[in-house]
Amino acid sequence: MTDLLTIENLTVEYRLARRRVRAVADLELSVKPGETLALVGESGSGKSTIAHTIMGALPPSATISAGRIRFDGLDLARLSQRRFNGIRGRSLGFIPQDPMVSLNPLHRVGRQVSESIRIHTGTPRREAERRAVELLERVGLPDPATRARQFPHELSGGMRQRVLIAAALAGQPKLLVADEPTTALDVTVQKVILDDLADLARSSGIAVLLITHDLAVAADRAHHIAVLKDGRLVEYGTPGTVLGRPEHPYTQALISSVPSLSAPARPAAVRVAAGTGDDRPAVPLVRVEAVSKEFRLPNRDRLRAVDDVSLTIGKGEAVGLVGESGSGKSTLARLVLGLTRPDAGQVGFDGTDIGRFGRADLRVLHRRAQLIYQNPYASLNPRLTVREIVAEPLDGFGIGDRASRRERVHELLDQVGLAGDFETRRPAELSGGQRQRVAIARALAPAPDLLVCDEPVSALDVSIQAQILRLLTDLRQELGLSLLFISHDLAVIRAVADRVAVMKSGRVVEFGDADQVFLRPEHEYTKLLLDAIPGRALAERSVAT
C-alpha cells in the first residue's frame, strides 16, 4: 500500500535570541492509510514540533531548514499558508490535548462542530447542524441531539474530547494528528476514546499520527512506534520489536520507568512501619466515618458527591484513592483537609473531630496536612522565584525568622534534588518535573504529617513520573509521612500505596491491602478498571527486564 504521509530528512530549527536550537533533526517517517503511527518521547523530544510542522502551524521563530513532507501529492514543507488553509481541516485533521482550552466556552458544542463542517465543506447551516449531530453520534456521544445543545462545561472530559474528534472529522480528513488526546482522561474513558479512533481508522481508512508519552497506549494502539530523543529518531518498528526487544538505551530506560501493576510487594518491615501490618495503630492519623457530602446543582437538584464513606490512614501509611472523574475523590480530599465540612459523618485527624475545629484549629490542621496539586504549570506563581515559592508556607504560618527560613528553603530544595542555583530561578525556567519537585518542597516546608497528592504525576513524562514517585516514597520513609495519593492511574497507585480505596459514584466500593485489590479484586467495578488499563503486558515486561 502506498504511503499517505512520508517525511524525508526533516530538520526544524527555532531561533532563540542570538542562537538557533535544532528541535527536529534528519527525521524519516511514513504512515499508510488506515495505519496508526505513535510518536513517543519525553517533553522536548520534538513530538509537538513534528505535529505543528505537518499542520503548518509552526511559530514565526521556527524554520524548516531541510527535508520534505510528502502528503497527498503535496510537499507540506514548502506549502504557503494560503495553500495550507485549503487542506487544514479537510485533508488534515487535528485533535488537541486539552478540550477545555480548545472548545469555546460561550458556544454550544453542536454549533462548534457545525461551524467546522461549514468552513471546510461549504455546507448550508441547517444541513451542517444535522451533520454535526450525526458526527457526535458517530464518535459515540450518547443522546447526541441533546449534547449538541449543551455548552462544554456541561459535558465530562471524555465527552468534550469526543466533540473535538467530531470537529476534526468534519472535513473528512485523510490524516488525523492526535496530540496526547487521552492524557487527562480516566482509564475507562481513555479506552473508549482510543477504541473510537481505532474504529474510525479501520472503517474510513484514516491514518492516525498519535503523539503520546504513554508507552502503554502506544503498545496497545499503534501499528508502528517511533521513539524520539532530542529531536532525533532513535528507534522505530512494531510494538513487539520496539518494546519487546528495544535496542537503544533511551528506549530501554523509558520502558524501565513504566509503573507496573505486577510490582513486587514492599518488604514486611516497611509495610509494618507504615501502619499496614497486623499492628496498625489503634488511633490512625486520619479517620473518615460514614461521611457524606451533597452539592446543589444549577437546576436545583442535589448531587451526593460523597456517600457514606469510611476509611482510615495510619501514621506513616500511604493510601491510594482511585476512580473515574466524578467519583468523589477530590471532594473526599477536601473533607480530609478540612476545606469542606461534611453533611453527615465525621472526619477525625489525630484523634480529634475536625468538624468541631474553629479558625485557629483549622490553621493548625492546614499546617499539618498539605496538598500537592496536579498541574505543576498552574500551581506555582510565575512571578516568584523558587526560593520565594518554597518559603510561602513558612511566611504564612510564621515559622522561624528570615535566616532560618532561608536555611530551611535550602535544606528542602536539597531534599527534593534541586540544590544549586535553582533558588533564584522562576517557574518558566524549569521543566515539568522540576516544577513538581518545587511544589513538593513547598508542601514539605511546614513539616506536615500528611501529604494529599492530587494526581501529582499525571502531567509528567514517564521517566520524570518515575523520579517523582521514587522521591515521594523516599521522603515518606525518611520523614514518616502519611500519604493520601489520588490518581486515575492504577499502575501509579500500585507503585506507592499500601492500601487502596476504589471510589465509584461517591461510594468506596472496595478498600483493602494493595496486593488484594490489584491481584484479587472483589468488586466488578475494580475488575473493570483493571481490565481497561492499557499496556499491561508492557508493564509486566518492564518488571521482567
Side-chain angles (χ1 to χ4, degrees):
M1 186 181 296
T2 305
D3 293 334
L4 175 66
L5 176 73
T6 303
I7 299 175
E8 302 173 352
N9 193 38
L10 180 67
T11 299
V12 181
E13 297 178 327
Y14 287 89
R15 184 177 63 257
L16 300 177
R18 296 182 179 180
R19 61 192 181 96
R20 301 184 73 84
V21 175
R22 182 165 290 186
V24 177
D26 304 319
L27 183 70
E28 304 254 350
L29 286 175
S30 62
V31 191
K32 291 179 170 59
E35 181 181 78
T36 296
L37 171 65
L39 297 185
V40 172
E42 298 174 300
S43 297
S45 62
K47 304 189 304 295
S48 293
T49 295
I50 294 168
H52 294 156
T53 305
I54 293 170
M55 297 301 301
L58 286 173
S61 60
T63 303
I64 301 173
S65 55
R68 296 180 178 180
I69 306 175
R70 299 184 183 277
F71 172 76
D72 205 21
L74 300 171
D75 182 1
L76 302 184
R78 301 291 179 267
L79 218 58
S80 67
Q81 279 300 312
R82 183 174 181 180
R83 291 289 304 279
F84 253 119
N85 292 338
I87 64 170
R88 190 189 297 115
R90 293 184 181 180
S91 299
L92 292 171
F94 183 68
I95 304 172
Q97 177 176 351
D98 192 340
M100 278 308 289
V101 172
S102 304
L103 292 173
N104 190 325
L106 301 179
H107 293 168
R108 302 178 194 275
V109 297
R111 174 182 172 182
Q112 298 187 55
V113 177
S114 66
E115 283 184 347
S116 295
I117 295 172
R118 293 178 64 192
I119 290 171
H120 299 308
T121 66
T123 304
R125 182 172 61 85
R126 289 191 178 278
E127 175 63 15
E129 291 173 351
R130 184 188 66 79
R131 286 185 55 190
V133 173
E134 290 179 351
L135 275 176
L136 292 175
E137 182 177 23
R138 182 184 178 190
V139 298
L141 210 60
D143 194 6
T146 299
R147 302 301 182 191
R149 295 192 295 270
Q150 292 182 301
F151 292 94
H153 73 272
E154 298 178 284
L155 305 181
S156 69
M159 290 180 178
R160 289 193 291 264
Q161 195 63 282
R162 285 189 178 94
V163 172
L164 288 180
I165 294 173
L169 294 174
Q172 301 177 334
K174 297 179 180 180
L175 173 68
L176 271 180
V177 179
D179 188 3
E180 301 276 9
T182 61
T183 296
L185 302 181
D186 303 319
V187 63
T188 51
V189 179
Q190 178 189 75
K191 182 179 185 300
V192 172
I193 294 296
L194 293 173
D195 284 345
D196 290 343
L197 281 175
D199 291 341
L200 288 168
R202 281 193 299 267
S203 62
S204 305
I206 296 173
V208 178
L209 186 64
L210 177 63
I211 297 170
T212 181
H213 65 257
D214 192 330
L215 286 176
V217 168
D220 281 359
R221 301 294 174 169
H223 295 87
H224 292 90
I225 296 176
V227 182
L228 299 166
K229 176 175 172 56
D230 299 329
R232 292 186 176 275
L233 181 67
V234 297
E235 197 140 8
Y236 176 84
T238 64
T241 301
V242 172
L243 304 178
R245 298 180 298 278
E247 296 181 356
H248 197 278
Y250 177 68
T251 311
Q252 295 168 3
L254 286 180
I255 294 172
S256 67
S257 299
V258 175
S260 172
L261 285 176
S262 55
R266 279 173 290 280
V270 175
R271 295 167 63 78
V272 170
T276 58
D278 293 336
D279 61 344
R280 183 176 292 120
V283 180
L285 182 65
V286 176
R287 182 183 295 278
V288 178
E289 297 184 23
V291 163
S292 296
K293 180 64 182 179
E294 290 186 345
F295 295 99
R296 186 180 297 277
L297 300 177
N299 61 4
R300 297 188 179 183
D301 288 339
R302 298 189 71 85
L303 170 68
R304 179 160 287 198
V306 174
D307 187 5
D308 194 29
V309 167
S310 297
L311 58 81
T312 59
I313 305 174
K315 295 179 181 180
E317 181 184 22
V319 170
L321 190 59
V322 300
E324 298 172 308
S325 297
S327 61
K329 304 188 302 295
S330 294
T331 299
L332 181 58
R334 291 180 61 82
L335 290 166
V336 169
L337 290 166
L339 301 175
T340 300
R341 292 186 182 271
D343 298 322
Q346 290 185 349
V347 178
F349 190 89
D350 208 5
T352 305
D353 178 11
I354 67 176
R356 300 177 181 177
F357 282 2
R359 182 175 296 179
D361 292 325
L362 283 174
R363 181 175 172 81
V364 174
L365 172 64
H366 295 156
R367 176 175 173 174
R368 297 185 63 190
Q370 286 283 303
L371 176 64
I372 300 174
Y373 294 94
Q374 174 178 359
N375 190 343
Y377 294 91
S379 63
L380 304 181
N381 189 330
R383 298 183 178 182
L384 301 183
T385 65
V386 167
R387 178 190 298 137
E388 293 167 332
I389 290 170
V390 177
E392 276 185 312
L394 302 175
D395 296 336
F397 289 112
I399 300 172
D401 55 22
R402 180 175 297 181
S404 64
R405 290 173 190 170
R406 181 179 288 271
E407 180 61 29
R408 175 66 172 155
V409 169
H410 181 76
E411 173 188 311
L412 287 164
L413 291 176
D414 184 59
Q415 204 166 34
V416 299
L418 292 179
D421 66 345
F422 284 95
E423 288 190 28
T424 58
R425 298 189 193 182
R426 285 180 167 77
E429 301 174 80
L430 306 178
S431 67
Q434 289 168 343
R435 295 185 197 199
Q436 199 60 295
R437 288 173 185 266
V438 172
I440 293 171
R442 178 179 60 185
L444 292 174
D449 299 300
L450 172 69
L451 285 184
V452 176
C453 308
D454 189 3
E455 300 275 8
V457 296
S458 64
L460 304 178
D461 298 321
V462 63
S463 59
I464 307 301
Q465 180 185 87
Q467 293 174 20
I468 297 300
L469 292 177
R470 283 195 296 270
L471 172 64
L472 287 171
T473 300
D474 292 344
L475 289 171
R476 173 193 159 200
Q477 295 182 15
E478 178 185 343
L479 303 175
L481 290 167
S482 298
L483 299 183
L484 178 60
F485 197 101
I486 301 170
S487 180
H488 65 260
D489 188 330
L490 278 78
V492 166
I493 289 288
R494 184 74 174 97
V496 297
D498 302 303
R499 291 190 296 157
V500 178
V502 182
M503 290 194 74
K504 176 176 172 57
S505 303
R507 285 183 168 269
V508 171
V509 298
E510 190 155 359
F511 183 38
D513 184 84
D515 288 342
Q516 171 67 40
V517 172
F518 285 106
L519 302 179
R520 297 177 296 279
E522 296 180 357
H523 197 278
E524 289 302 316
Y525 178 67
T526 308
K527 296 176 183 177
L528 177 67
L529 289 179
L530 291 169
D531 288 341
I533 295 174
R536 296 184 70 180
L538 168 64
E540 291 164 4
R541 191 184 302 128
S542 69
V543 173
T545 55

